[in-house]
Amino acid sequence: MPELPEVETLVRQLRVRLVGRRIETAALSHEDILSGTTAAELLAELPGRSITNVDRRAKHALLRTDTRILAVQPGMTGALLVYERPLSPEEQHYAVLTCALDDGALLVYRDVRRIGTLRWLDDAGWASYDARLGPEPLDPEFTAPMFAERLGRSRAAIKKVLMDQKVVVGVGNIYATEALFAAGIDPSKAANRVPNAQLVDLHSHVQRILAAAIASEGTSFRDYVTSTGEPGNFQLELWVYGREGEECRVCGTRLASTQEIDARGTVFCWRCQR
Ligand SMILES: [Zn+2]
């Protein structure tokens, strides 16, 4: 699942490429990824729109136009791509939304399994959607004490709370697993039983790891590609995620995995994370 760093990477690349471009035509292959809009509305309104900015909120890429905002939440297999050439038959097959731009390029939302979501929102619609999302983990105004207070309210497993988009946005399985290892916190421990000092420490690890992932253009997990189709390159820096059964790089203990916290596997070190 693209998490905050992958979407941030995508948005930074798209911003340079797309701001100032006009959408000339739009085509949609499937309606099932639309939320709060219809194919008829979207296809009537996209042509003629100028792209004024591209930014990110939580795990959404926001294509801001001179009227509405196209909020793209890529699913596990979703990607926003710019092609400077016609699509191959395979690319055509998985292109869900295809927009022809005024400079001849194609902006494509590709999604093999179509579990992403596209929303077409006016300012008020976006404001009300945005208000339901938690704070941004890299926002300087969302301080360590605020982070600790917010997470520490819950009796649920700390990993689950860290991944709850209403508590703090953008942190999914990869970065939650990594940050909890770095902070030495047992991912299954009830959040309200984690000492405040450790939650404060967790905040700094979340920020450090997300920033490092953005700096290296996102993690290369299955299906993730940047806007130019390149894989991300963060995978060499992962300490625990995806390393079940391998040795802990800190203490040498064999890394364990549990399915008991959430539906996804959580890899951790018995010795380093108490
Ligand atoms: Zn260890």
Side-chain angles (χ1 to χ4, degrees), residues 234-248:
F234 185 61
Q235 60 184 353
L236 297 176
E237 299 176 35
L238 296 177
W239 287 66
V240 275
Y241 180 84
R243 297 191 64 240
E244 178 189 358
E246 294 177 39
E247 283 180 5
C248 172

Side-chain angles (χ1 to χ4, degrees), residues 174-255:
I174 300 172
Y175 301 108
T177 299
E178 290 294 309
L180 288 164
F181 174 79
I185 300 172
D186 174 354
S188 65
K189 192 167 188 170
N192 64 353
R193 294 189 50 236
V194 178
N196 194 67
Q198 258 189 319
L199 291 175
V200 167
D201 197 33
L202 178 62
H203 176 258
S204 72
H205 286 295
V206 166
Q207 289 199 325
R208 176 183 59 77
I209 290 168
L210 291 175
I214 292 169
S216 57
E217 304 191 333
T219 293
S220 182
F221 54 88
R222 196 167 57 92
D223 298 322
Y224 171 70
V225 290
T226 67
S227 73
T228 52
E230 299 294 316
N233 56 11
F234 185 61
Q235 60 184 353
L236 297 176
E237 299 176 35
L238 296 177
W239 287 66
V240 275
Y241 180 84
R243 297 191 64 240
E244 178 189 358
E246 294 177 39
E247 283 180 5
C248 172
R249 291 186 175 140
V250 174
C251 72
T253 302
R254 201 162 292 282
L255 295 173

Side-chain angles (χ1 to χ4, degrees), residues 3-22:
E3 299 183 23
L4 186 156
E6 290 76 33
V7 180
E8 182 64 31
T9 298
L10 184 66
V11 153
R12 289 180 183 187
Q13 294 174 339
L14 291 175
R15 186 182 304 139
V16 175
R17 185 62 188 79
L18 296 179
V19 170
R21 298 272 59 82
R22 198 178 65 249

Side-chain angles (χ1 to χ4, degrees), residues 1-3 10 33 72-81 83 90 94-96 108-117 221-225:
M1 185 70 75
E3 299 183 23
L10 184 66
I33 61 158
V72 179
Q73 185 173 18
M76 191 81 75
T77 55
L80 273 168
L81 298 156
Y83 294 90
E90 191 267 350
Y94 292 117
V96 184
V108 170
Y109 178 67
R110 167 194 167 99
D111 197 341
V112 173
R113 288 167 58 193
R114 294 201 312 279
I115 42 184
T117 306
F221 54 88
R222 196 167 57 92
D223 298 322
Y224 171 70
V225 290

Side-chain angles (χ1 to χ4, degrees), residues 37-237:
T37 186
T38 62
E41 180 184 60
L42 191 62
L43 296 178
E45 295 188 12
L46 276 177
R49 298 282 59 78
S50 291
I51 299 171
T52 56
N53 199 7
V54 183
D55 56 8
R56 180 192 59 77
R57 171 74 170 107
K59 300 176 191 175
H60 304 72
L62 307 178
L63 273 72
R64 297 178 187 269
T65 75
D66 50 349
T67 59
R68 290 184 172 225
I69 298 168
L70 183 65
V72 179
Q73 185 173 18
M76 191 81 75
T77 55
L80 273 168
L81 298 156
V82 178
Y83 294 90
E84 313 286 345
R85 52 167 175 79
L87 302 184
S88 71
E90 191 267 350
E91 289 162 347
Q92 188 88 54
H93 185 72
Y94 292 117
V96 184
L97 177 68
T98 306
C99 296
L101 305 178
D102 58 350
D103 63 357
L106 295 172
L107 169 63
V108 170
Y109 178 67
R110 167 194 167 99
D111 197 341
V112 173
R113 288 167 58 193
R114 294 201 312 279
I115 42 184
T117 306
L118 302 185
R119 296 178 173 84
W120 181 236
L121 300 163
D122 60 16
D123 288 343
W126 169 248
S128 90
Y129 184 79
D130 178 53
R132 296 197 293 272
L133 301 169
E136 289 285 334
L138 295 174
D139 181 351
E141 289 180 14
F142 183 48
T143 61
M146 289 164 73
F147 174 91
E149 194 274 328
R150 222 172 150 85
L151 268 75
R153 281 180 211 161
S154 175
R155 283 179 297 178
I158 181 75
K159 185 196 173 211
K160 226 172 168 171
V161 181
L162 184 54
M163 289 171 58
D164 182 343
Q165 302 299 297
K166 292 196 249 354
V167 176
V168 59
V169 298
V171 183
N173 202 25
I174 300 172
Y175 301 108
T177 299
E178 290 294 309
L180 288 164
F181 174 79
I185 300 172
D186 174 354
S188 65
K189 192 167 188 170
N192 64 353
R193 294 189 50 236
V194 178
N196 194 67
Q198 258 189 319
L199 291 175
V200 167
D201 197 33
L202 178 62
H203 176 258
S204 72
H205 286 295
V206 166
Q207 289 199 325
R208 176 183 59 77
I209 290 168
L210 291 175
I214 292 169
S216 57
E217 304 191 333
T219 293
S220 182
F221 54 88
R222 196 167 57 92
D223 298 322
Y224 171 70
V225 290
T226 67
S227 73
T228 52
E230 299 294 316
N233 56 11
F234 185 61
Q235 60 184 353
L236 297 176
E237 299 176 35

